[in-house]
């Protein structure tokens, strides 16, 4: 576990472990906060405790087989950020799918940048096979995220029209890649 200061907040960052299954409610509260906010992420309905527990068990299985790497950040006993890289399968097993979420109130303080750097380092070091490409999908109107991804060397490679339903509209999906 690492503890760092972001702004005036003391934040602990660590890998997900089996013991975290005792804290499923904290993870459920975290993801459901994005649904309430109508944040620019794919999930659009609150998850039940059972669904969140099943998701955590699935992630733990992938961590054990080195097909995924997952970090989370915690402040004042509350999950405030997560990031992961999950390897695709079969003929796409050289591609790592990247994701990151930062809770409202903890954005624009450097936490996302830090988590992104850490997860990319860990993905290169710990995933088997090592990813050759890191792929992400982003909303076209999520300018802060796009700016961050470009700082890390991600390049726009595709815009797929009308892929995301958001606030009653169909938005394009931007696909970005990083060759590692």
């Amino acid at each position: 576990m690492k503890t760092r200061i972001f702004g005036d907040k003391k934040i602990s960052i660590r890998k997900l472990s089996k013991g975290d299954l005792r804290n499923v409610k904290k993870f459920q509260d975290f993801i459901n906060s994005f649904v309430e906010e109508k944040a620019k992420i794919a999930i659009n309905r609150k998850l039940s405790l059972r669904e969140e527990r099943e998701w955590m068990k699935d992630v733990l299985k992938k961590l054990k087989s080195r097909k995924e790497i997952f970090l989370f950040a915690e402040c004042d006993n509350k999950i405030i950020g997560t990031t992961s890289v999950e390897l695709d399968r079969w003929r796409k097993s050289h591609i790592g799918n990247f994701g990151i979420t930062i809770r409202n109130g903890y954005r624009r303080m450097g936490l996302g940048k830090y988590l992104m750097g850490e997860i990319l380092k860990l993905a290169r070091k710990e995933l088997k096979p090592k990813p050759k490409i890191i792929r992400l999908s982003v909303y076209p109107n999520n300018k802060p995220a796009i700016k961050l991804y470009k700082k890390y060397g991600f390049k726009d490679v595709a815009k797929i029209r009308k892929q995301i339903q958001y606030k009653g509209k169909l938005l394009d999906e931007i696909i970005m890649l990083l060759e590692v």
Side-chain angles (χ1 to χ4, degrees), residues 61-132:
K61 194 163 61 170
K62 290 175 190 166
L63 292 174
K64 190 174 183 181
S65 65
R66 298 178 72 165
K67 301 300 178 199
E68 184 169 357
I69 190 77
F70 186 96
L71 293 175
F72 71 95
E74 200 169 13
C75 182
D76 298 326
N77 207 29
K78 180 166 71 172
I79 309 295
I80 60 160
T82 64
T83 186
S84 65
V85 175
E86 178 185 358
L87 289 175
D88 215 322
R89 301 183 313 172
W90 303 312
R91 293 184 192 265
K92 291 185 173 184
S93 64
H94 64 288
I95 298 171
N97 293 298
F98 169 82
I100 188 167
T101 49
I102 306 294
R103 189 186 284 259
N104 197 12
Y106 295 88
R107 298 175 189 142
R108 292 180 176 80
M109 58 176 28
L111 177 60
K113 180 180 178 183
Y114 179 80
L115 286 175
M116 190 165 179
E118 290 297 300
I119 204 72
L120 292 174
K121 275 190 270 181
L122 287 169
R124 291 178 184 115
K125 182 177 162 189
E126 296 186 16
L127 294 177
K128 297 289 180 202
K130 290 187 187 312
K132 294 183 171 114

Side-chain angles (χ1 to χ4, degrees), residues 12 18 54 62 74 90 159 173-174:
S12 300
K18 193 173 181 180
E54 290 306 310
K62 290 175 190 166
E74 200 169 13
W90 303 312
K159 183 192 292 188
E173 176 182 21
I174 295 176

Side-chain angles (χ1 to χ4, degrees), residues 47 111 136:
L47 296 182
L111 177 60
L136 65 83

Side-chain angles (χ1 to χ4, degrees), residues 8-9 38-39 48 55 70 82 84 112 135:
D8 62 347
K9 309 220 184 294
K38 293 184 174 54
S48 70
W55 169 81
F70 186 96
T82 64
S84 65
R135 179 189 189 278

